Amino acid sequence: HVQLVESGGGSVQAGGSLRLSCAASRLYYSTYCMSWSRQAPGGEREGIATITSDGTTRYRDSVKGRFTISRDNDKNILYLQMDNLRPEDTGMYYCAAARIGFPSLARYLYNYWGPGTQVTVS
């Protein structure tokens, strides 16, 4: 079955940076649209960045200019570079995959999800 495994989370001070990775296996990775979502404590999971198979990206307004999503189709890895982190960025971060050809942040479109990695900004 499809596996997505996130890594790179941790604790960082406000203004710092982290890079998240998501390793994908058992799917034809290069054909999938990939995304990052996050869930703050007590909040709902929301999509924050997405990248299509051809590299088109889309971001939630709250992370634009600070986060960068990218993918390596040779290594089947998805990345999220997070700079200038804020306390409100704290939460569990998830990667997800969808067989769509447009950059969507809509959670319901994504079929496969990883278990998540925790990011804490203080």
Side-chain angles (χ1 to χ4, degrees):
H1 58 87
V2 172
Q3 280 192 322
L4 300 174
V5 180
E6 303 91 340
S7 62
S11 296
V12 65
Q13 290 189 335
S17 298
L18 283 173
R19 188 174 84 153
L20 305 184
S21 299
C22 171
S25 60
R26 301 191 182 96
L27 80 168
Y28 194 8
Y29 177 79
S30 64
T31 67
Y32 278 75
C33 182
M34 302 297 296
S35 74
W36 287 99
S37 297
R38 73 180 174 200
Q39 187 166 12
E44 292 191 358
R45 194 177 303 187
E46 61 179 14
I48 57 172
T50 182
I51 183 168
T52 63
S53 58
D54 66 356
T56 303
T57 59
R58 182 178 175 184
Y59 298 91
R60 184 167 292 273
D61 286 347
S62 58
V63 306
K64 277 182 184 176
R66 300 187 300 121
F67 291 10
T68 304
I69 189 171
S70 62
R71 63 190 296 163
D72 185 330
N73 287 342
D74 292 330
K75 297 181 179 178
N76 287 10
I77 299 178
L78 177 72
Y79 300 102
L80 185 69
Q81 177 66 41
M82 305 187 294
D83 298 316
N84 192 19
L85 282 160
R86 304 167 179 170
E88 54 263 40
D89 294 319
T90 293
M92 188 70 79
Y93 283 68
Y94 303 89
C95 71
R99 287 296 299 272
I100 56 176
F102 53 93
S104 175
L105 297 177
R107 188 179 60 179
Y108 75 93
L109 292 174
Y110 290 82
N111 313 93
Y112 305 108
W113 292 83
T117 186
Q118 177 69 37
V119 172
T120 303
V121 185
S122 59

